[in-house]
Amino acid sequence: MITAEPRRMLVLAGAAAHASRTRSVAELVCRDIAAAGGRPVLRDLAEHPLPLLHADPDGANLADVQIQAAEADAMIWVTPCYHGSYSGILKNCLDHLREDALRGKPVGVVAVGASLTAVSACDHLRAVARTLGCVTAPTQAVVSGGGLLDDGADSGAYPRIVRMIGELHALTGVTGMLRQCATADVGSPA
């Protein structure tokens, strides 16, 4: 039987700048995961740079992020919106993650941008998640303009983040059981 709580959720902050709105949003997401009874793990890709794919297979931080992703019950990808899509640093990280560790894993997506056109970054991340075999939460969030204040106040993004975290908790239970069934010996008697 799979335990209901607490869920371990890996939050990937995909901005290259050390101090960024994306990092602030990722920290807010972590606080809300904890408030909902989960166990957030923040991975700021600016603080833990990864080598380019195939450039250094033994690069620093590579095994660490792969283990964090494999051990997570769910993930939330937080990205700035650059030229209508998600960041290259997040793409590089996702390229390094093993598909077998992600298959069936629930994923939430949050984009941070100057306007609501940042929704395209969410759409692109949802497509990548599907390709990796992940299950995306129905709700996504776009933090636009000045966006989320320290208290979570925003015209619409904050309630969506809270709802997405709730959806991820629910999806984690279901997908965990499905992943367990998929790895069970199909030839064994019931």
Side-chain angles (χ1 to χ4, degrees), residues 94-113:
L94 297 175
D95 287 342
H96 280 294
L97 299 181
R98 291 188 290 271
E99 209 170 314
D100 60 329
L102 298 178
R103 191 170 298 111
K105 192 160 290 193
V107 171
V109 295
V110 179
V112 180

Side-chain angles (χ1 to χ4, degrees), residues 5 80 140 145 165:
E5 297 290 339
Q140 62 190 26
I165 291 168

Side-chain angles (χ1 to χ4, degrees), residues 29-97:
V29 167
C30 286
R31 285 193 301 268
D32 287 334
I33 290 169
R39 292 184 6 216
V41 176
L42 176 60
R43 178 74 180 213
D44 187 335
L45 298 174
E47 291 179 2
H48 304 282
L50 299 173
L52 292 175
L53 188 63
H54 304 302
D56 182 7
D58 299 320
N61 299 317
L62 187 54
D64 188 38
V65 73
Q66 289 172 335
I67 290 168
Q68 285 178 325
E71 291 178 346
D73 297 311
M75 299 173 72
I76 298 178
W77 302 340
V78 184
T79 185
C81 183
Y82 295 139
H83 303 295
S85 194
Y86 59 97
S87 69
I89 194 170
L90 181 57
K91 171 67 168 126
N92 185 55
C93 177
L94 297 175
D95 287 342
H96 280 294
L97 299 181

Side-chain angles (χ1 to χ4, degrees), residues 28 31-32 147-159 161-162:
L28 178 94
R31 285 193 301 268
D32 287 334
L148 299 171
L149 304 173
D150 287 338
D151 63 357
D154 181 78
S155 62
Y158 184 70
I161 289 171
V162 171

